[in-house]
Amino acid sequence: MSEQSSHIIKESFPVLGMSCASCAAKVDKTLNRQSGVKVAAVNYASSMATVEYDEQLTNCKILQKAVQEAGYDLVIERRVSENGLEESQRQQYESLKRRAFYSLSISTIILVLSMSFPHEQFVKYISWLLATPVVFWWGRDFFRNTWKQLKHGSCNMDTLVAGSTGIAYLFSGFNLIFPEIWTSRGIEPHIYFESAAMIVGFILLGRTMEAKAKARTNTAIKQLMRLQPHSVTVQKDGCPQEMSIEQITRGDLIVVKPGERIAVDGIVVGGASYVDESMLSGEPMPVSKHVGDKVFAGTVNQKGAFKFKAEKTGDDTLLAHIIHLVQDAQGSKAPIQRLVDKVASIFVPAIILIALLAFGAWLLLDPIDGFTHGILALVTVLIIACPCALGLATPTALMVGIGKGATHGILIKNAESLEIAKKVDTIILDKTGTITAGKPQVQSFLWEPTLIDTIPLQAVLASLEQLSEHPLADAIVKHITTKPVDITDFESFTGMGIKGCHKGTTYLVGNKRLLERYGLRLSPSMEKQSKVLDLSAQTVIYFADKQQILALIGISDPIKTTSTAAINDLKKQEIDIHLLTGDNENTAKALSSQLGISHFKANVLPADKAAYIQQLQQTGHTVAMVGDGINDSAALAQADLSIAMGTGSDIAMEVAGMTIVSGDLSRIPAALTLSKLTVQTIRQNLFWAFIYNLISVPIAAGVLYPICGFLLNPMIGGAAMALSSVSVVTNSLRLRRKRLSSTMQPLSYPIEKEEMQSVPSCPPPDDIANSNECIISNNQPIMKQTYKVEGMMCQHCRKHVEKALNSIEGVTATVTLDPPVAEVVFHDKHYSLEELQAVVSEEAGDYIIKN
């Protein structure tokens, strides 16, 4: 994935060979040192490096060479697909699982033999024989990676593991072959083959669990990537033909059948249907699609069929944009991560130094058993220290949090935005397109009573508004159906309105400020009518020539169904809400009163919004700005946190740190809650990671031995180290189960007016057991139900279950592995759980479906 601005390119590359946070810190430092690199961030949790670089000064091959010289590798070949990388990660996981199983199995045999026959010489030789393949075959990667690092003058977590197990193994072998060296000094020679083998087994088990848990942190992005179908039906010369998605070009006519996923972005040119856009917007209810409506890649067609013309393909689609945005955000670093990076970069050398000091202290303070105890302390300190837990604390929580946001229609641009959101105490709301639907309609049209023939004037008004870019202009154009006329000398006045000439007469369309600029005043009757419209929360537009006011147009933009509940939710979070609008004082006051907003400012120009935010910031507030238009860009840039509505302009979304895909205001409190939960999880992870190392390393060194005679066994240290990383990732995964907002309810299902008389009703709830929801499509009731699926272990399992369910007539099913659920839509009739189970058992295998 890449994006280009001037000569600066931003790309993400998989990094191979990293085994701990110290590795990630070294790769990060290596990339940032390269000439031409603007900024680089390496994410240990996802094994990805995101690099911004000047293509005139460097390129990906130079970056790859630098990383290789540091002892790692950068995958730069674009032919390596996401599926290929996923398969590589799966193979690595399977390899770790096998090695962990064999290591622990043999280590357990060694442990049992050593405990059952502690003084038998032949048992010691058997332990040596069994421990050798565990340490040097199944644990070979520790030594191999250590050698690579030493060649480049560095060390990492593998250095600690290789050092500790190697020393334990060699010390035990020496004691077994030359026991008289110690017995002549009155010291019993101990062997620790079981410890060396068990350490390898525990570390491999921990890395296996860590790999599985880390894969789950990236579930959201994987689900998004699977949304796009591999092939589509394209109509060429009137004949439908199957084509791969890579062959689709702009302008192709694509046929979408019932139940199919839409492949690319486009505009409907024939047919009608309802499309489930929940994977992009988070809204669960299908959206009506007719000729002229936009459709997006990854969304699912319901029962109808239609054709659409491809507008955006490949990396230009909304789905691709969302995937890239989430990838970038998951690869970015939160400010709190800087401290962790500094610690990780010096962690391994510091631990090695502490281990050597512990060994030296034992030699000095215990002349009799000091060497043996010193070796044990050295091995245990090396093995119990864990930079991985520190390195995973922040990125895993960010990946889960950002992924959860994406699945709820909340796109987070970077980790910094997520961290700032927690501190927000003030939110600025734009009106049009943010609180309101952004689809203004003419409610009142009042002409000057003395005018006789208004039809020619209507044509002039409509023609003027056709040249305007203001959203209110569209409402007037749609309201007037007369043919347009020629307009000359057109001019736009920011925040006031427009003017233009027709047949020598200059006409004005705008607000009161525009009238005042040309010295025009309302007649008493017009003034009265204007106030009435203001008090009813209608925006008043004035149409005039240079002599008089010709008409008043009252326009209102309906408030979104979720706006009031969302604002109440923000108040519960003790957020101070401000409304900024270009409307007049009366309209702004009426709207604020209706929504329960105590702070508002009317007649606001685009530049005024940024100044207003700056004033609040100067008084100590952390301000979030929510907007959707080009005119909000300056305010969005000024705010501490910028939030754009996905239904608005692309410029606003580019500037914003967060984007609400559906434009639903209820996602704002959800985004703030997500921020608080994610930052809380990061702090929990860092606390336990620091505490773990702070407590475990001194105990491993033997500080408790003079007090109570306790010296930590290296095997226990290995188990503790392995579990520390797993516990951090598991704690991050808890975020996925958190509820973000009580206001994110399903929207009402859209029904066209002409369908109102003939739409059938859904069956009563008792008729459908545990029905999740009942919706109407093409005059037919559709039931959507979610079931739990037990027994699925991989993507092949998921595909078998999904294929089996979709083979049932009148059923459309989508099955996910994580969580393991099947979302089943019944189009014509409802099937019982037993009927579904029978088909799955026959077609797919031993999978169990439950309510």
Side-chain angles (χ1 to χ4, degrees), residues 101-150:
F101 173 77
Y102 292 129
S103 298
L104 286 174
S105 298
I106 294 178
S107 300
T108 303
I109 295 172
I110 298 172
L111 182 64
V112 171
L113 288 173
S114 300
M115 293 179 67
S116 302
F117 309 100
H119 303 295
E120 296 291 339
Q121 194 70 10
F122 78 93
V123 171
K124 295 179 181 180
Y125 279 99
I126 291 174
S127 298
W128 186 15
L129 180 67
L130 293 176
T132 301
V134 174
V135 175
F136 295 109
W137 177 246
W138 290 301
R140 63 189 181 278
D141 283 350
F142 299 125
F143 296 93
R144 184 185 297 164
N145 293 336
T146 296
W147 175 244
K148 285 182 181 178
Q149 294 301 310
L150 290 176

Side-chain angles (χ1 to χ4, degrees), residues 354 381 384 691-705:
I354 292 171
V381 168
I384 203 169
I691 287 295
Y692 165 81
N693 284 289
L694 198 63
I695 294 175
S696 64
V697 171
I699 291 176
V703 295
L704 295 180
Y705 190 81

Side-chain angles (χ1 to χ4, degrees), residues 293-316:
D293 291 335
K294 291 182 178 181
V295 290
F296 303 98
T299 56
V300 183
N301 182 30
Q302 299 290 292
K303 192 175 179 183
F306 60 90
K307 299 176 185 177
F308 75 93
K309 185 172 71 174
E311 291 288 321
K312 293 181 179 179
T313 63
D315 286 346
D316 295 328

Side-chain angles (χ1 to χ4, degrees), residues 144-208:
R144 184 185 297 164
N145 293 336
T146 296
W147 175 244
K148 285 182 181 178
Q149 294 301 310
L150 290 176
K151 284 196 298 184
H152 295 93
S154 62
C155 51
N156 62 4
M157 186 66 203
D158 288 330
T159 309
L160 301 182
V161 178
S164 58
T165 55
I167 290 170
Y169 179 90
L170 293 174
F171 182 59
S172 300
F174 182 85
N175 289 351
L176 182 61
I177 297 172
F178 306 107
E180 63 277 1
I181 292 178
W182 302 110
T183 54
S184 63
R185 292 175 171 76
I187 301 172
E188 183 181 353
H190 294 282
I191 64 169
Y192 303 100
F193 290 122
E194 75 281 1
S195 293
M198 271 293 183
I199 287 170
V200 171
F202 278 134
I203 301 301
L204 288 173
L205 176 63
R207 290 196 175 177
T208 304

Side-chain angles (χ1 to χ4, degrees), residues 326-372:
V326 175
Q327 284 178 326
D328 285 349
Q330 290 184 334
S332 63
K333 289 187 178 180
I336 198 171
Q337 180 71 15
R338 293 168 192 151
L339 172 64
V340 179
D341 288 343
K342 289 180 181 178
V343 173
S345 64
I346 61 172
F347 189 91
V348 174
I351 290 300
I352 293 174
L353 180 60
I354 292 171
L356 292 173
L357 289 173
F359 176 70
W362 275 104
L363 288 178
L364 290 174
L365 300 175
D366 187 0
I368 299 175
D369 295 323
F371 191 86
T372 302

Side-chain angles (χ1 to χ4, degrees), residues 355 358-363 369-380 701 711:
F359 176 70
W362 275 104
L363 288 178
D369 295 323
F371 191 86
T372 302
H373 287 164
I375 288 290
L376 276 178
L378 184 147
V379 169
T380 310
L711 191 61

